């Protein structure tokens, strides 16, 4: 079964930086679009940033100029560089990816396990 393994979360003071990583594992043929979502306690999950297989990016307004999403297609890995962090950025960050499984060429969207990001004031 394909899994998305996330890392890089932690506790940081406001104004600090974190870099999240998401590395798919399993019998992957191709990874299509990838994205980062986040969910604060008691809130709905929201899209933070996305990146297509060709490198086109999209960010929610609240993180523009502070966050950068990038990917390495050779490694099927996506990162989220988060700078100038604010307390409102606090939440569990989830990686999302559309993946064709090699054996069957079936397409499924997968979610990472989530990594906690806490920004203190």
């Amino acid at each position: 079964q394909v899994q998305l393994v996330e890392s890089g979360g932690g506790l940081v003071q406001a104004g600090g930086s974190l870099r999240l990583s998401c590395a798919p594992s399993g019998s992957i043929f191709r990874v299509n679009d990838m994205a980062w979502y986040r969910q604060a306690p008691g809130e709905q999950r929201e899209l933070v940033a996305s990146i297509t297989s060709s490198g086109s990016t999209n960010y929610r307004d609240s993180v523009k100029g502070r966050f950068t999403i990038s990917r390495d297609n050779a490694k099927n890995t996506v990162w989220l560089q988060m700078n100038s962090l604010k307390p409102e950025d606090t939440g569990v960050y989830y990686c999302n990816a559309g993946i064709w499984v090699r054996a069957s060429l079936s397409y499924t969207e997968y979610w990472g396990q989530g990594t906690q990001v806490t920004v203190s004031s």
Side-chain angles (χ1 to χ4, degrees), residues 21-82:
S21 175
C22 175
S25 65
S27 299
I28 298 171
F29 175 73
R30 177 179 172 176
V31 178
N32 198 19
D33 295 354
M34 306 184 80
W36 288 96
Y37 290 75
R38 68 187 179 191
Q39 187 169 20
E43 301 293 330
Q44 292 184 308
R45 189 171 299 184
E46 63 183 20
L47 176 67
V48 178
S50 63
I51 184 167
T52 68
S53 59
S54 62
S56 297
T57 59
N58 184 263
Y59 302 89
R60 73 180 302 107
D61 288 343
S62 62
V63 307
K64 288 181 179 178
R66 300 188 297 120
F67 290 11
T68 302
I69 188 170
S70 60
R71 66 188 291 167
D72 183 338
N73 290 338
K75 297 180 178 180
N76 293 321
T77 301
V78 63
W79 296 270
L80 184 67
Q81 179 67 47
M82 304 185 293

